[in-house]
Amino acid sequence: MLEEVERWLATRSWSVADRPLHRILSAKQRTGQTVSVVLPALNEEETVGDIVAIIRHDLVEQVPLVDEIVVVDSGSTDRTSEVAAAAGARVVHRDEILPRIPAVPGKGEVLWRSLLVTGGDILCFVDADLREFSSDFVSGIVGPLLTEPGVDLVKAMYDRPLAGTAGQGGRVTELMARPLLNMHWPRLAGFVQPLGGEYAARRSLLEQLPFPVGYGVELGMLVDALHLVGLDALAQVDVGVRIHRHQDGQALGRMAAAIYRTAQLRLARGHLVRPTLTQFERGEDGFEPRTYSVDTEERPPMLEIAEYAERKVA
């Protein structure tokens, strides 16, 4: 490990217990910064309501840390929107945001568009499929942004159990993202959960970053932020344990392909000859190929979007 990373781990890796809630709230009141929590959601009616309700109870009603909770629905066919609204979130549908640019499927697409429908100086992203959720996930990663002026982006770190076994979750992280980061961006090797969906950042940083539309958004954001603001402006906070729905192996393969593509673009800004991934499923006549396109599109920095620039002027 690089000496710079060892130093970073000692100075920019914290625990949620390092910043009591009263200290975070005092910093918020002193600086006047506002906080938006964004949940990208697609068919998460079983979990999104509990997450919203906990954030609202703990960090809006009990302690006024969060100024708005926004669920961006990316085309759910279940009751995600209704459940989220009933729990106290403002629900916005992806296709209603920036209709001039047709939306494409993908988590990064939703996060990018959320910049247009939120007002916070700090944006906190939380996946909508978490179970046994704690508001520490929010206060833990927002805290450093309110108390440390030099920090611009904070990732949550946590244990990710799989089938009851500790440390076995995060398979794409261990098999794809961590090797890529260690070999090509070793200054980012200290991040425990580089692909985790829980992170917070200053709007002033996010609006300058391109957003891969799909699963590559977290890796792309880390790499681009490193180049834009430097390692000391990045941090991570231990918030305990993350329990969520795990995807099957083939879905993980597609996720890994999108992440590799995101890394490749940043390494060479080149083009794959054939940006597709073929996987196999056993059918009646043996193994049958299934070919999927790999996410290759990226949205430009939001500062380049006229509607966003006009909103800032207004």
Side-chain angles (χ1 to χ4, degrees):
M1 182 178 291
L2 297 176
E3 183 177 335
E4 180 184 9
V5 176
E6 292 181 352
R7 179 192 56 75
W8 179 85
L9 282 169
T11 60
R12 286 291 186 261
S13 291
W14 296 296
S15 165
V16 67
D18 291 335
R19 288 175 180 79
L21 202 50
H22 68 82
R23 179 186 167 197
I24 298 172
L25 184 61
S26 176
K28 173 182 165 66
Q29 294 169 339
R30 183 176 67 254
T31 62
Q33 296 179 88
T34 53
V35 178
S36 300
V37 175
V38 174
L39 284 78
L42 177 63
N43 294 330
E44 302 294 356
E45 67 176 3
E46 293 184 4
T47 51
V48 68
D50 287 342
I51 297 172
V52 170
I54 290 169
I55 296 172
R56 184 167 185 81
H57 175 269
D58 292 358
L59 303 179
V60 177
E61 297 169 351
Q62 296 294 311
V63 175
L65 179 64
V66 171
D67 297 279
E68 62 175 348
I69 306 170
V70 179
V71 170
V72 183
D73 190 327
S74 57
S76 298
T77 56
D78 65 2
R79 298 182 62 254
T80 290
S81 291
E82 293 88 341
V83 170
R90 175 163 60 92
V91 178
V92 185
H93 293 273
R94 177 199 62 194
D95 296 350
E96 297 174 357
I97 307 170
L98 199 61
R100 173 177 65 83
I101 300 176
V104 297
K107 179 183 179 182
E109 176 82 355
V110 173
L111 299 183
W112 181 71
R113 289 175 186 264
S114 74
L115 296 183
L116 268 165
V117 293
T118 52
D121 302 303
I122 294 169
L123 274 75
C124 175
F125 299 122
V126 177
D127 282 349
D129 65 342
L130 303 188
R131 300 181 184 277
E132 300 180 26
F133 178 78
S134 167
S135 59
D136 285 349
F137 273 70
V138 174
S139 59
I141 56 178
V142 167
L145 294 166
L146 291 169
T147 61
E148 306 287 338
V151 172
D152 290 330
L153 185 149
V154 183
K155 297 279 294 190
M157 56 177 166
Y158 32 65
D159 295 316
R160 295 183 67 181
L162 177 64
T165 303
Q168 295 303 305
R171 291 162 287 173
V172 175
T173 293
E174 300 303 329
L175 296 174
M176 176 59 72
R178 200 176 307 285
L180 281 172
L181 292 175
N182 276 263
M183 285 186 277
H184 297 296
W185 297 281
R187 295 169 70 201
L188 295 173
F191 277 94
V192 175
Q193 297 291 353
L195 301 185
E198 290 68 48
Y199 49 99
R202 300 189 193 280
R203 177 178 294 273
S204 57
L205 171 63
L206 294 172
E207 64 188 13
Q208 297 182 70
L209 299 178
F211 277 62
V213 299
Y215 285 120
V217 63
E218 275 84 22
L219 183 133
M221 189 177 295
L222 265 187
V223 171
D224 293 340
L226 174 68
H227 289 300
L228 191 62
V229 296
L231 183 59
D232 280 343
L234 313 180
Q236 60 185 351
V237 173
D238 187 349
V239 297
V241 180
R242 183 184 197 266
I243 300 174
H244 65 111
R245 182 185 66 253
H246 292 281
Q247 301 197 53
D248 63 38
Q250 293 209 333
L252 296 179
R254 297 189 290 275
M255 185 185 302
I259 290 164
Y260 180 80
R261 171 60 171 170
T262 300
Q264 185 206 39
L265 285 171
R266 279 150 182 79
L267 284 168
R269 295 295 170 182
H271 298 282
L272 285 174
V273 174
R274 187 170 177 269
T276 59
L277 174 72
T278 299
Q279 297 177 317
F280 293 87
E281 297 178 6
R282 184 182 290 278
E284 294 181 359
D285 300 320
F287 285 103
E288 300 173 354
R290 300 284 188 273
T291 300
Y292 303 88
S293 61
V294 175
D295 292 324
T296 59
E297 188 170 357
E298 297 197 5
R299 294 304 191 188
M302 189 57 80
L303 280 176
E304 298 178 9
I305 300 299
E307 289 89 338
Y308 187 78
E310 291 168 1
R311 194 188 77 158
K312 291 197 73 173
V313 170

